[in-house]
Amino acid sequence: MVSSLSSFANEPEYYGAGASSMQEKMRAIVIMGVAGCGKSTIAQAMCRRIGAVLIEGDDFHSSHNIQKMRAGTPLTDEDRKGWLQRLAQATANTLSNDRSAILACSALKRTYRDILRGAVPQLGCLYLELTPAQAAARVAHRSNHFMPASLIDSQFRDLEPPYDEPLVLTAAAVSPIDDIVDAALAWWARINDSIDGVAPGQTLSSGPSRT
């Protein structure tokens, strides 16, 4: 079942197996996906709307990681471990100050997302989905960024889409920014209004085929 972007924004639905009962509201989300999917753009727009604290993943990379990426060398799990731990701590610190947080982070693998969830158990996830060709085209047109288009293929090799994980919303990255933001905020509000029985895997729009 795949909801359209417009219909979801008006009337979101929750579905899937493994519903969980939450003790606390969802106060933070990670906006994830490969390079070029628009994580920072969507995160900034959402923060402007609701006054949440933006945690920009790119700002937490070590100089070692940045040098590797500039050279076109893919990061390893070990390279990303400390980066993810720093992001997890920054997100937890934000929540401890009674602020909501929106984290822009690739979070490509389930294990990476689980590191973040270890610090923020009720972490929501907005997955911005696009094709390799779309990602390559977007990255090729970016300037002043350390992530070259040559690393797109390695990102898709690492990518483990979070379709069956809890508290996940999937959106087509090529949808209009305002439409994604509207739908994501409606989804977030709906979850917090219906804490009991939230199911994993909410999906919207017509993203790339999963078959």
Side-chain angles (χ1 to χ4, degrees):
M1 173 180 169
V2 179
S3 303
S4 70
L5 189 64
S6 58
S7 66
F8 174 80
N10 293 327
E11 186 61 31
E13 299 178 14
Y14 300 105
Y15 65 92
S20 62
S21 178
M22 299 186 293
Q23 299 301 312
E24 299 180 4
K25 289 188 175 182
M26 189 173 77
R27 297 172 52 218
I29 68 169
V30 55
I31 302 179
M32 63 154 289
V34 299
C37 70
K39 298 180 289 292
S40 297
T41 299
I42 298 300
Q44 291 166 8
M46 291 180 67
C47 285
R48 285 194 296 269
R49 290 272 197 100
I50 65 173
V53 174
L54 172 63
I55 300 174
E56 174 54 66
D58 286 348
D59 295 342
F60 287 76
H61 273 300
S62 66
S63 58
H64 168 77
N65 284 3
I66 292 173
Q67 289 170 4
K68 285 189 71 171
M69 286 185 282
R70 284 193 190 281
T73 303
L75 298 182
T76 65
D77 290 349
E78 190 60 31
D79 290 330
R80 291 183 173 119
K81 183 177 179 181
W83 172 62
L84 291 161
Q85 290 171 337
R86 289 189 292 274
L87 290 171
Q89 188 60 58
T91 306
N93 289 345
T94 298
L95 299 185
S96 72
N97 290 322
D98 202 27
R99 298 289 304 278
S100 296
I102 297 178
L103 168 60
C105 169
S106 55
L108 298 174
K109 296 184 180 181
R110 174 71 181 257
T111 55
Y112 301 170
R113 297 186 288 274
D114 285 345
I115 290 174
L116 300 175
R117 290 173 178 135
V120 186
Q122 307 302 350
L123 181 68
C125 178
L126 171 58
Y127 170 41
L128 299 178
E129 189 174 42
L130 77 176
T131 67
Q134 290 167 338
R138 285 184 167 200
V139 172
H141 286 91
R142 293 197 307 195
S143 60
N144 301 320
H145 197 279
F146 51 75
M147 177 75 181
S150 60
L151 290 180
I152 293 296
D153 287 345
S154 70
Q155 290 228 317
F156 276 94
R157 285 195 297 270
D158 284 345
L159 178 63
E160 297 172 359
Y163 298 138
D164 297 322
E165 298 173 25
L167 300 177
V168 171
L169 177 69
T170 296
V174 295
S175 298
I177 294 171
D178 285 344
D179 288 357
I180 296 174
V181 172
D182 288 346
L185 292 177
W187 165 75
W188 192 345
R190 183 67 170 266
I191 285 177
N192 284 338
D193 287 343
S194 307
I195 289 177
D196 294 328
V198 177
Q202 175 67 46
T203 303
L204 66 99
S205 80
S206 54
S209 172
R210 302 176 192 174
T211 57

